[in-house]
């Protein structure tokens, strides 16, 4: 089965922290090795990360903080993850560019879709930071929007602790079974929480395929882009 030519990889912020607040260099180094292997295989890669290892806007809001300001703090946390990933990728000899939705000229380029595409065509990894640059949008939605605008073939959603989409949370329900394939309509009808609903609807409407898979074992990202059937493929049907 042929693989993908250009993909957007969605990583959660929690992965970067290894379950703690801040950045775990060992974890980021491992992620960088995996992405480097994909880039060396000739696949064009863009990345969107979350910032949950630093701040989560919705959680800060529950503690009394203004939601918009809390979301902006989350966006800045995302940029810290982006810079850490860039550093480890460049140490491996992979040229990397960070583009941010909020202007911060000393550390990153502004988000310019055509420039991002050009970087990928030249074999550079592009990391999109600072979310959408606006509050009230999740990084799930950002990942789909960036994948569509940079003309990616698929969104790859790398999960920690779960290896695909199940009928229920396998960590809570031992009878949960995994889907190999699924359509967006089926997922919505079943009420499966894969991504937030805005992101999911955007994928479905634009017929952008999504692969949900586990980060373990190492090498899974490369397996997915090369077309191996791991995780769950969600498509328009």
């Amino acid at each position: 089965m042929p693989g993908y030519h250009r993909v957007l990889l969605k990583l959660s912020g929690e992965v970067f922290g290894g379950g703690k607040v801040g950045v775990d260099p060992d974890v980021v180094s491992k992620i960088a090795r995996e992405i480097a292997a994909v880039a060396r295989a000739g696949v064009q890669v863009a990345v969107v990360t979350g910032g949950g290892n630093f701040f989560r806007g919705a959680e800060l809001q529950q503690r009394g903080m203004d939601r918009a300001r809390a979301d902006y703090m989350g966006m800045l946390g995302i940029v810290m993850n982006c810079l850490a990933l860039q550093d480890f990728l460049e140490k491996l000899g992979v040229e990397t560019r960070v583009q941010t939705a909020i202007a911060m000229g000393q550390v990153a380029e502004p988000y310019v879709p055509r420039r991002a595409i050009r970087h990928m065509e030249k074999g550079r990894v592009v990391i999109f930071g600072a979310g959408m640059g606006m509050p009230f949008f999740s990084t799930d939605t950002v990942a789909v929007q960036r994948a569509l605008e940079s003309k990616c073939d698929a969104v790859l959603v790398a999960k920690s602790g779960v290896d695909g989409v199940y009928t229920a949370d396998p960590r809570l329900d031992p009878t949960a079974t995994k889907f190999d394939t699924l359509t967006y309509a089926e997922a919505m009808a079943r009420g499966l929480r894969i991504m937030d609903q805005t992101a999911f609807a955007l994928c479905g409407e634009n017929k952008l395929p999504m692969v949900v898979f586990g980060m373990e074992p190492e090498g899974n990202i490369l397996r997915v882009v090369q077309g191996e059937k791991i995780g769950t493929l969600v498509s328009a049907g």
Side-chain angles (χ1 to χ4, degrees), residues 99-116:
Q99 289 197 347
T100 58
I102 296 172
M104 40 186 84
Q106 275 95 332
V107 296
E109 296 179 0
Y111 170 58
V112 180
R114 290 179 71 110
R115 187 186 284 176

Side-chain angles (χ1 to χ4, degrees), residues 55-62 65-67 70-72 74:
F55 307 103
R56 279 187 168 280
E59 286 173 17
L60 290 172
Q61 182 190 26
Q62 286 165 6
M65 190 176 277
D66 176 74
R67 173 62 191 267
D71 277 356
Y72 281 119

